Amino acid sequence: MAESPIYDGRLGGAPGNMAYYNTLDEPVSETIMRDLRQVGSKLKIVLMPKGDQEGVLKKLKEWDLWGPLLVCLVLSIMLSSTAPANQGALVFASVFVVVWCGAAMVTVNAQLLGGGISFFQSVCVLGYCVFPLVLASAACLIAKALTGLFFIRALLVVVGFMWSTRASVVFIKQIISPERKVLAVYPVFFFYAFLSWMVLLQ
Amino acid sequence: MAMHPSDSNDFSWGSDALLAGQDTSRLLAGVEDVERQQAAQRKPQQDPGAAGVGVGGGDDGGVLGVLMGCLSMGSLKPFFNVNDADVYDRILHGLLVRRGPLLTAAEGQTADLYGPIWCSATLIFMLAAAANISGLESGRGPDFRLALSGVGIVYGYMLVGGFGLWAAGKAWGLELSLAHTLCLYGYSLVGFVPMALLTAIPYGIVQWVALLVPAIVGGGFLYLNVMPAVREKAPAVAMTVLACLGGLQVALWLALSLALY
């Protein structure tokens, strides 16, 4: 089998020695694709939570903030592009603030109520769960172009909201004690309702 | 599947309450709250961390705790020691569906800050949404500034009411802790939330009445909770306290009606 060109000319390393593989030397495209694939797989897990609770929790412990950042960026760009001309920057900034501060507040609330999850894991999951609202926003843009019916857009946003909320509630329920479930879930509901309202107003 | 309590790569919020945190605890909790908290210790507390997920916030956040000052997790945790049933019960008190004192010392109930924080946040959102909807008919687009006025009015009411009542309590010997007064003013806002939906109807008279009713209900709730203690301990100032309570409710009603509609 032909040796990978990465290993050629390496000092002191035997050809094909995997232990010498250094991610700094791989092509940039491969680094980016690996990160994108990780983000994609976490999105899939978070958005379609299957029965394997332990597996989901284990996977989510490897939190990253790239995914939420990408999701937040896409949402901000979409919402600010459809805002009135002089309010574009304001809308962009406010979406960012709402997503990150909202996720932080929901997490702190869950922790204060006795939940057993670390700060960034929770922010990571909440950020990923904003993705259905991104899809709803894109669908709204298309719907607005095709038909001016407000009802269709409202329906799309409601579907996105329920999907987001359900995905994160599945996660939150696992980390909080049963007598305080509603108390921990309500801020999640409120956070996504706020975001849905912003999507609906576009 | 226990996790190591201190993730070295994790930004845990420590529960360091030795120096910084106690200031907040002492500020918020009066003598009565300390007794209630001791009674609450006897309430069995569930530990969800035992479910195997592990505890994310370890004690390694010492520096962070001091930096965060009085907002460390350890100092605020006692004020979130409520269950679903407790908050539901307190909401019903705020709506005057259940009369009687909000916090029953006998059962070891403590003041909570969950109610004030999330009731006011919900209220601000509802008011902003309703104001935007009612403005649509007259052609005003979605206005961000309405939300900002809402924030100012609601939080102003809660903080002025909470701190004012606490200061009055200190001056006249009522045993009302700051947490208790903030809790009372927070739950008195509950009545506004359903009425905020009605204010979306763009008729002036409907909006003014829809805001007046919860202001009265909230006033009644505060009256039931505060006046018995005042009559018992400082009867001379009862009329002053009553006037101030009523005055603040009227101010809230006027501010909301004028600023948002």
Side-chain angles (χ1 to χ4, degrees), chain A residues 54 114 116 118 120 179-180 183 186, chain B residues 10 48 54 81 83-84 114 122:
Chain A
E54 285 298 311
S118 83
F120 280 123
E179 307 129 1
R180 300 187 177 182
L183 295 187
Y186 175 72
Chain B
D10 207 340
N81 187 20
N83 294 331
D84 292 350
Y114 180 91
T122 310

Side-chain angles (χ1 to χ4, degrees), chain A residues 56-63 121, chain B residues 1 3 52-54:
Chain A
V56 169
L57 277 181
K58 192 157 179 277
K59 181 88 191 186
L60 290 176
K61 286 211 172 112
E62 306 150 8
W63 58 269
Q121 282 168 6
Chain B
M1 189 174 133
M3 240 174 70
V53 174

Side-chain angles (χ1 to χ4, degrees), chain B residues 93-118:
Chain B
H93 273 103
L95 293 173
L96 281 189
V97 171
R98 292 203 186 140
R99 314 290 160 85
L102 185 70
L103 306 174
T104 318
E107 291 166 34
Q109 293 183 339
T110 54
D112 72 292
L113 288 180
Y114 180 91
I117 293 176
W118 293 107

Side-chain angles (χ1 to χ4, degrees), chain B residues 46-205:
Chain B
Q46 303 275 12
D47 181 13
V53 174
V55 177
D59 283 329
D60 55 343
V63 171
L64 194 59
V66 170
L67 280 178
M68 285 293 153
C70 56
L71 291 178
S72 73
M73 301 287 275
S75 65
L76 287 178
K77 237 184 184 166
F79 300 105
F80 280 76
N81 187 20
V82 275
N83 294 331
D84 292 350
D86 298 330
V87 171
Y88 180 63
D89 179 58
R90 290 175 191 192
I91 289 178
L92 290 182
H93 273 103
L95 293 173
L96 281 189
V97 171
R98 292 203 186 140
R99 314 290 160 85
L102 185 70
L103 306 174
T104 318
E107 291 166 34
Q109 293 183 339
T110 54
D112 72 292
L113 288 180
Y114 180 91
I117 293 176
W118 293 107
C119 284
S120 49
T122 310
L123 179 62
I124 291 170
F125 175 60
M126 293 286 217
L127 285 175
N132 274 323
I133 293 179
S134 76
L136 280 178
E137 268 73 24
S138 60
R140 270 190 310 175
D143 201 349
F144 219 35
R145 286 165 304 179
L146 292 177
L148 290 178
S149 346
V151 169
I153 295 172
V154 170
Y155 280 115
Y157 165 80
M158 241 178 58
L159 292 175
V160 165
F163 277 89
L165 191 55
W166 173 66
K170 279 234 172 259
W172 291 317
L174 314 165
E175 276 168 13
L176 285 173
S177 64
L178 185 58
H180 192 172
T181 60
L182 283 174
C183 186
L184 284 176
Y185 270 94
Y187 281 107
S188 74
L189 287 173
V190 171
F192 281 92
V193 172
M195 286 303 179
L197 294 175
L198 280 184
T199 59
I201 304 172
Y203 288 115
I205 187 71

